[in-house]
Amino acid sequence: MSLSRLDGRTALVTGSSRGIGRATAECLAAHGADVVLNGLGPAEELDGLAAAIARRHGVRCIAVPADMASPEAVGGLLKAAYRAMGRLDVLVCNAGILGDGRLGMLPAAEVDRVLAVNVAGTLHAIQTGARLMQRGGGGSIVTLASIVGRRGNAGQALYAASKAALIGLTLSAAKELGPLGIRVNAVAPGFIDTDMTAHLDAGLRERWLRDIALGRFGSAEDVARTVLFLAGDLSAYVTGQVLGVDGGMAM
Ligand SMILES: NC(=O)c1ccc[n+]([C@@H]2O[C@H](COP(=O)([O-])OP(=O)(O)OC[C@H]3O[C@@H](n4cnc5c(N)ncnc54)[C@H](OP(=O)(O)O)[C@@H]3O)[C@@H](O)[C@H]2O)c1
């Protein structure tokens, strides 16, 4: 069987109702994985998407809505996924939110929310996910960092801080979980065309584009294919890496 196939494995992708998470869920399912979707809801929409993915790719796909900002909800999500699928092999910690604003203009509640979703939510998912993966003898965890977590960006201090924290979390988890057969890597997307970047004005987009060696913004599928590589056996000896998916923006 091709090393890119994930038949017989179960993947949970947080924040997979749209954007990069949705493309990743679709890509992993297309390569044979049973998939658990997640988002804030509504449940009927997520259920509809799960049914469509299952039909398209002939895999099992279910949806478990949960707010990644709540430790209890994250624990419940991981356990519900494991109960339904009977195993967990791949965990993609993708759910994330922006918290744009100059340093002097960031309300405390916004700081708390961004760190709760992007950092604490990922940490809690890895805690429970790693315990469940151990039962199957190992697995692969992929976190969604960002180019701004490595390079910073004026007006994105909060978001950049959350993504830099994710990189530290990823590297530490890779060291701790490697001996248990669990690989942990991050992808660091550059500018990807999704709802998250849709609000940016034309001038700003133009400026970003000038910095991209490949001369185009990335697609959600560009990131999904990199996650696929890190999820499966093609990357069996890769852990503790932060892989840029940015068209040559960070060089
Ligand atoms: N787009 C980029 O240029 C870019 C660049 C670098 C890194 N990233 C990172 O890549 C990841 C995906 O980004 P994207 O562009 O696909 O974003 P997006 O289009 O805004 O989608 C975000 C996803 O996360 C989910 N989500 C948000 N808050 C959540 C919460 N509290 N609990 C559960 N799910 C939640 C959303 O679910 P709902 O639909 O229910 O709201 C949605 O599925 C994020 O971590 C982002 O920081 C993106």
Side-chain angles (χ1 to χ4, degrees), residues 14-22 38-42 46 65-70 93-98 113 117-118 144-148 159 162-163 166 187-197 220 223:
T14 69
S16 41
S17 54
R18 51 200 169 90
I20 293 169
R22 178 174 176 163
N38 156 259
L40 286 169
L46 272 179
D67 183 352
M68 297 304 291
S70 155
C93 300
N94 166 82
I97 53 174
L98 282 178
R113 178 76 187 166
V117 175
N118 294 7
L144 266 288
S146 167
I147 191 170
V148 303
Y159 180 71
S162 76
K163 294 301 181 178
L166 270 192
V187 292
F191 191 117
I192 310 300
D193 254 328
T194 66
D195 292 349
M196 190 173 265
T197 47
V223 182

Side-chain angles (χ1 to χ4, degrees), residues 141-220:
I141 297 172
V142 183
T143 62
L144 266 288
S146 167
I147 191 170
V148 303
R150 302 162 109 182
R151 302 208 325 187
N153 192 30
Q156 286 200 305
L158 171 56
Y159 180 71
S162 76
K163 294 301 181 178
L166 270 192
I167 292 173
L169 167 60
T170 301
L171 302 182
S172 304
K175 289 188 174 174
E176 225 174 285
L177 301 175
L180 305 174
I182 300 172
R183 299 182 296 106
V184 192
N185 293 285
V187 292
F191 191 117
I192 310 300
D193 254 328
T194 66
D195 292 349
M196 190 173 265
T197 47
H199 67 285
L200 297 173
D201 69 69
L204 197 60
R205 291 173 78 92
E206 202 43 51
R207 270 211 309 279
W208 281 74
L209 193 56
R210 277 201 292 272
D211 281 346
I212 301 175
L214 293 182
R216 66 169 177 89
F217 298 128
S219 67

Side-chain angles (χ1 to χ4, degrees), residues 119-145:
V119 184
T122 302
L123 189 145
H124 292 128
I126 291 176
Q127 281 182 315
T128 308
R131 275 199 289 276
L132 297 173
M133 278 179 182
Q134 270 181 72
R135 298 184 189 172
S140 171
I141 297 172
V142 183
T143 62
L144 266 288

Side-chain angles (χ1 to χ4, degrees), residues 5-17:
R5 295 294 306 177
L6 296 169
D7 303 83
R9 297 187 203 179
T10 293
L12 166 60
V13 185
T14 69
S16 41
S17 54

